[in-house]
Amino acid sequence: MVSVYNYSEDDFKDYLIANNEKPFRAKQLIEWLYRHKISSFDEMTNIKKDFIEKLKNDFIIDDLECVTKQKASDGTQKFLFRLNDGNLIETVLMNNEYGYSVCVTTQVGCNMGCEFCASGMKKKLRSLETSEIVLQILMAEKLSGIKISHIVVMGIGEPFDNYDNVLRFIRIVNHPLGLQIGSRHITVSTCGIVPKIYEFSDFDIQVNLAISLHAPNNEIRSQIMKINKTYSIDKIVEAIKYYISKTNRRVTIEYILLHSINDTLACANELCDLLHGLNIYVNLIPYNEVIEKPFKRSTKDDMMAFFDLLKKRRINVQLRREQGGDIDAACGQLRSKQMKKEEL
Ligand code: SAH
């Protein structure tokens, strides 16, 4: 049996056609599942009984088991879910001035091996199914009672290492009869899997692309991000240029500020040179320290000096506001705590 949340409208259409049903019923299914949020097929009053039985045989309307729910003083909520095979994933709900956003996980663990990141300490066990990503949104809404308006694909895992399922997830949550999360309210973040950046340039839904750059040159980037040995900065910049030329969209450059590693004014200048003339904006991110890692957060003064230099050199830049500081906010921390507990 397949989870209903694995199917986009097109997948349902194919299924309906294969079962001699009218393809327009795909829209009805999307409405029942995502607007009315049914928990049983019997609730679908405009579908014939025998077809409901058929659906019941082929699909399951499943959910995720919530193991822990934390709430920070600033309203950030963090959920730890257990998947059917026992694996744990984290989902974070944030309260922003513009609405509520959810940060979703795309893989169990991560193989990208970024030195500063807590998620990568556990190797990838598998990629998530589309349904397991979709359910993070549905469960976050259900458990919080909040309507989500924005999604960031920035949780544990590398979305471009689970490309097809992430794109199907976007189609489902963006559907105008379903959750209706606007394409411009969805951001996908990658550590820089270059061939997928090219492929993503042809994706017909106009979502935002963010690139985790974190360094202004190959020397520093290769020290902190293993992926740079495969896809170097110059290849990434080329891919970004292509993406911008195809989509006409501004790309976000993520840059974590790590004390004495990438936060000097020389680095800031080099970053400006690298990005000069590109339709980008830089999101400077205060580092969330991870106990097991040697990296330290930049000082406030260094962060401000870096920010000011970028501004002065006319690079669009913002310093990310921190959220959920009092609830294991750094990616992967809630999951690794629970895993340690369960090992005992
Ligand atoms: N794999 C994707 C998406 C998941 S990580 C990517 O690399 O973009 C989402 C973002 O969080 C990335 O920019 C990542 O570098 C950053 N990140 C990881 N660990 C962090 C930490 N401890 N503090 C701040 N940002 C972190």
Side-chain angles (χ1 to χ4, degrees):
M1 269 215 280
V2 184
S3 166
V4 272
Y5 302 115
N6 266 328
Y7 273 43
S8 65
E9 184 188 352
D10 281 348
D11 299 326
F12 278 129
K13 269 189 192 155
D14 292 343
Y15 167 86
L16 289 158
I17 292 165
N19 287 285
N20 297 320
E21 273 291 332
K22 296 273 184 316
F24 74 83
R25 298 218 178 272
K27 285 200 166 56
Q28 294 177 325
L29 283 166
I30 298 282
E31 271 193 299
W32 282 116
L33 291 168
Y34 296 101
R35 183 163 296 177
H36 305 298
K37 301 195 170 68
I38 53 165
S39 53
S40 154
F41 287 116
D42 293 320
E43 294 172 54
M44 305 193 303
T45 45
N46 55 358
I47 312 258
K48 330 187 269 289
K49 281 272 173 320
D50 54 341
F51 191 58
I52 286 184
E53 289 311 309
K54 167 90 187 126
L55 288 169
K56 280 187 188 168
N57 273 321
D58 292 340
F59 294 100
I60 171 168
I61 303 182
D62 52 347
D63 60 7
L64 299 175
E65 178 200 342
C66 182
V67 181
T68 320
K69 181 176 152 182
Q70 295 182 341
K71 194 165 181 180
S73 45
D74 64 4
T76 303
Q77 299 189 39
K78 194 153 187 170
F79 308 99
L80 184 72
F81 294 117
R82 193 185 307 281
L83 306 174
N84 277 338
D85 61 2
N87 279 312
L88 296 165
I89 57 165
E90 293 181 11
T91 305
V92 184
L93 189 160
M94 289 161 288
N95 181 1
N96 311 296
E97 309 91 70
Y98 49 78
Y100 286 91
S101 62
V102 163
C103 177
V104 292
T105 288
T106 54
Q107 297 182 312
V108 180
C110 183
N111 275 352
M112 296 302 122
C114 299
E115 295 295 336
F116 46 81
C117 177
S119 311
M121 292 191 300
K122 301 276 179 207
K123 284 271 153 278
K124 177 180 94 177
L125 296 177
R126 66 175 176 88
S127 282
L128 295 191
E129 295 291 327
T130 303
S131 61
E132 292 167 328
I133 315 176
V134 170
L135 276 166
Q136 292 176 58
I137 306 294
L138 292 172
M139 294 298 297
E141 286 200 337
K142 191 168 158 187
L143 293 166
S144 65
I146 286 167
K147 170 78 187 110
I148 279 93
S149 58
H150 290 67
I151 292 176
V152 290
V153 186
M154 290 190 188
I156 297 174
E158 168 50 48
F160 281 0
D161 186 35
N162 186 14
Y163 191 77
D164 293 343
N165 288 350
V166 167
L167 264 54
R168 191 180 297 109
F169 157 75
I170 293 171
R171 282 193 199 289
I172 292 172
V173 295
N174 176 247
H175 198 289
L177 297 174
L179 295 174
Q180 296 178 316
I181 301 189
S183 59
R184 280 149 212 234
H185 289 186
I186 301 173
T187 302
V188 178
S189 173
T190 177
C191 65
I193 315 268
V194 165
K196 293 294 176 198
I197 300 176
Y198 284 99
E199 220 178 309
F200 200 57
S201 308
D202 291 325
F203 186 43
D204 57 311
I205 302 181
Q206 295 264 292
V207 299
N208 305 305
L209 174 65
I211 309 277
S212 298
L213 198 68
H214 305 328
N217 60 44
N218 284 318
E219 198 193 325
I220 300 177
R221 196 163 192 267
S222 293
Q223 272 172 34
I224 56 176
M225 296 177 76
K226 199 173 75 184
I227 191 74
N228 199 62
K229 293 179 181 144
T230 313
Y231 303 116
S232 59
I233 287 202
D234 24 306
K235 289 189 189 133
I236 292 179
V237 169
E238 238 171 77
I240 292 174
K241 279 186 188 159
Y242 178 83
Y243 176 87
I244 294 170
S245 73
K246 281 286 284 215
T247 62
N248 221 354
R249 297 189 58 74
R250 175 179 289 185
V251 170
T252 303
I253 303 292
E254 293 162 281
Y255 196 104
I256 302 178
L257 289 161
L258 299 164
H259 178 63
S260 307
I261 305 270
N262 65 358
D263 66 346
T264 61
L265 291 182
C267 283
N269 266 313
E270 215 177 331
L271 186 65
C272 295
D273 294 341
L274 183 73
L275 302 176
H276 178 78
L278 293 179
N279 184 18
I280 50 94
Y281 94 86
V282 175
N283 203 351
L284 295 175
I285 307 170
Y287 179 57
N288 254 318
E289 290 181 13
V290 178
I291 299 166
E292 295 89 343
K293 303 278 184 185
F295 299 97
K296 292 273 163 268
R297 159 185 298 225
S298 298
T299 63
K300 278 218 164 67
D301 285 353
D302 287 346
M303 288 199 247
M304 279 324 292
F306 201 100
F307 174 86
D308 288 342
L309 195 143
L310 263 58
K311 264 231 128 97
K312 204 170 102 206
R313 291 199 52 190
R314 296 178 181 282
I315 297 278
N316 298 307
V317 58
Q318 80 172 37
L319 193 58
R320 185 185 285 176
R321 185 168 71 93
E322 283 193 86
Q323 292 177 54
D326 47 350
I327 54 160
D328 304 315
C331 338
Q333 291 196 349
L334 186 57
R335 172 170 180 256
S336 55
K337 259 193 194 167
Q338 181 72 20
M339 284 171 83
K340 273 187 202 135
K341 237 198 256 171
E342 292 185 6
E343 275 163 19
L344 292 177

